[in-house]
Amino acid sequence: MTPQDTKTVETRFCIISDTHTAELWPPSDTNHAYRDPLPSADVLLHAGDITYVGYIHEYETMIEMLSKADAELKIVIAGNHDITLDEQYYESTGKRRFHRNIGEDFSVIKELWTGEKARKAGIVYLEEGIRTFTLTNGARFTIYTSPYQPEFCNWAFPYYRNEDRFNPLCGAKNPIPDWPNIDIMLTHGPPAGVLDETKHGDKVGCEHLMRAVRRCRPRLHCFGHIHEGWGAQRNNWAQNCSKLLTVHGSQMLNDRCAYVDLTKDGDEPLAGFGEETLFVNASIMNVDYKPVNAPWRVDLDLPVAEKFWSSGKENPESAALPRASALLELKARLCETSPFFVFLSKELIKSLCDEEVTTSTPSLSNANVNLLDMPTRPVVFFCFLDHPVTQTDDHPHGATIPPIWIAPDWADAMRQAWDFHGFSPAAADRFMVMLLQSRRKVFEVQETYAQQQRCMTDTKVWHRMLQEEEGKLVESSPEDKDAHEVILQRQRKNRDDFVELETRMAGTLKETYKCTKQYGLLKARAVDILDHHRRGVRIRDGGRMPN
């Protein structure tokens, strides 16, 4: 029996994210959809950034709010602002940066979310991984959760963009499985190109996550992180098209949510499990950290537990061959990446070549490439670094730079030029790797500067919020010296962050100039080598060439 033939039951989800300790507006305030009470549902999903900066009193406030929500199951993950739920980050960076004078106990905060009180309220706190739940209405679903997102202004749960946390053939610790093993995905950060655009026009979603979503094709993928990206989008994988959903403001205010009915009895039902996915960015805060966005309420058809894998064993149709999975992942990468170069793992190459991968392994066979039915030109030439480079100094979890694939026409031309000038193909390979790494370094530095600009905006917003908080405190509790001292400490920390960020941005500008100059020199060298070869003139430089 295929997943499409399975008996289903209508199940309602209430989705929120990026609440940042914002309490619900009172029921009488009909100018805000995010008001008391939250829309009732079978399942409530919170996609992270529960708090502003991970204080225990913030968690207590949000747990109290979630406990009152009318939902049988309330699944919560952390986000980059929930610094005290990332123990490694908090001990190494977060405590010193944010809680310099007021340290929090990780174990106490973890107990808040996993203790008896939270369980009785139906709250389930999840870290990165996969869980299956069965509801009282008979619905059974499997969910993948992850609080991680690409490194952002040195906040919690980071990974660098060249690290793939989500795809099995790249060595991910908790990879997202292929379709049809996951019904719902709940991540803090968005996938690339989906509701991920900042107010500066930058699309900051994760490409690795998007590649994993293409493999997984869940019914629903919820996230937040990018406040400006609030909204919902339907992606039809079979037709390779997407559609942004429109909501009516007055109806949304009246319902206290934006509502989507994707059940078979709805006006526009989901095309089918594996054929279409609904993406939801449920950030409650806008870019100015005001809780003005509405929760989302989504009705879905979920499989009934008695008919869907009732034996508890894996559906035999979900067991994809490693080779087929490798081909699918390679196709996804080539479809979304510049044909100039693609980064892949040795495990993927091994799956495609059916042989042990070494530095002498030839290019992929044309038969393998034809199987992909790629819309772009084939990328079949590859070379390896002499040894893996591990960035343990910069990345808290470490990251290995994978092999580099190079377009065959350009690579062949470069190797022929090297041969013409009397040098080995290995020297050409080393130069091409060096050139492409230099190009990637330029992109990374430019991206770092863009992140720092966004962080500067965040710092200025935080400064304005502290000023507003101080003004309210002066009006309500002018004699509360302890509260005033806490505000002063935060303001001093905000000023220190501002000065530190200005210094870092100045350094990044210098690094951008340096990297751009280095790449320009290497690119000019490559053009010079190819030009001399085309004119049949050897380079007269004493036999020295960059390698």
Side-chain angles (χ1 to χ4, degrees), residues 170-448:
C170 293
K173 294 180 180 179
N174 298 297
I176 299 172
D178 293 346
W179 180 87
N181 291 313
I182 299 295
D183 297 288
I184 298 166
M185 288 177 58
L186 181 65
T187 61
H188 181 57
V194 180
L195 306 171
D196 65 337
E197 186 171 338
T198 70
K199 68 176 184 179
H200 302 293
D202 301 319
K203 293 184 178 293
V204 296
C206 177
E207 293 181 359
H208 304 298
L209 179 58
M210 189 65 213
R211 195 161 53 249
V213 176
R214 286 197 183 101
R215 285 190 299 101
C216 178
R217 290 173 283 156
R219 307 170 195 270
L220 175 65
H221 183 188
C222 310
F223 49 87
H225 189 47
I226 306 303
H227 298 183
E228 309 96 298
W230 180 90
Q233 174 177 314
R234 299 176 67 153
N235 275 40
N236 190 303
W237 305 113
Q239 300 177 12
N240 193 27
C241 63
S242 62
K243 175 186 176 182
L244 280 173
L245 273 61
T246 57
V247 293
H248 300 287
S250 58
Q251 186 67 40
M252 185 171 61
L253 290 174
N254 184 60
D255 295 342
R256 306 191 314 280
C257 64
Y259 176 56
V260 184
D261 184 0
L262 298 180
T263 64
K264 58 180 179 293
D265 297 327
D267 293 335
E268 295 186 67
L270 208 64
F273 183 26
E275 297 179 29
E276 189 177 22
T277 296
L278 175 68
F279 293 92
V280 175
N281 181 328
S283 299
I284 294 299
M285 293 289 190
N286 66 6
V287 70
D288 294 320
Y289 285 80
K290 302 295 183 184
V292 298
N293 292 332
W296 281 89
R297 187 172 67 188
V298 177
D299 288 350
L300 281 177
D301 290 323
L302 290 182
V304 176
E306 289 78 7
K307 296 291 184 180
F308 195 67
W309 300 346
S310 58
S311 65
K313 298 180 180 179
E314 183 180 6
N315 186 340
E317 296 189 14
S318 70
L321 294 174
R323 182 181 179 81
S325 180
L327 288 169
L328 183 62
E329 183 174 342
L330 178 57
K331 181 177 180 180
R333 291 190 179 211
L334 295 177
C335 288
E336 68 188 30
T337 311
S338 164
F340 190 67
F341 64 95
V342 184
F343 298 99
L344 298 173
S345 68
K346 284 191 177 183
E347 288 75 14
L348 176 54
I349 299 168
K350 181 178 178 181
S351 297
L352 292 169
C353 294
D354 289 332
E355 59 187 41
E356 187 65 33
V357 178
T358 66
T359 53
S360 61
T361 300
S363 61
L364 298 177
S365 68
N366 289 331
N368 284 340
V369 173
N370 290 338
L371 285 174
L372 302 177
D373 189 26
M374 295 178 295
T376 58
R377 59 180 177 171
V379 179
V380 296
F381 177 85
F382 60 88
C383 57
F384 298 102
L385 302 175
D386 292 334
H387 56 83
V389 180
T390 303
Q391 302 171 328
T392 52
D393 294 336
D394 298 325
H395 194 336
H397 304 292
T400 301
I401 298 177
I404 295 175
W405 289 55
I406 304 171
D409 50 359
W410 189 82
D412 289 343
M414 187 61 71
R415 297 183 102 197
Q416 289 172 12
W418 243 254
D419 182 65
F420 171 77
H421 293 296
F423 293 89
S424 67
D429 293 353
R430 289 195 295 271
F431 177 78
M432 285 186 284
V433 170
M434 184 166 58
L435 177 63
L436 295 178
Q437 285 180 323
S438 176
R439 184 188 189 203
R440 181 173 65 175
K441 181 64 176 177
V442 172
F443 291 156
E444 289 177 347
V445 173
Q446 290 174 341
E447 181 183 334
T448 298

Side-chain angles (χ1 to χ4, degrees), residues 423 539-545:
F423 293 89
I539 295 179
R540 299 175 181 177
D541 58 358
R544 298 189 53 154
M545 298 184 86

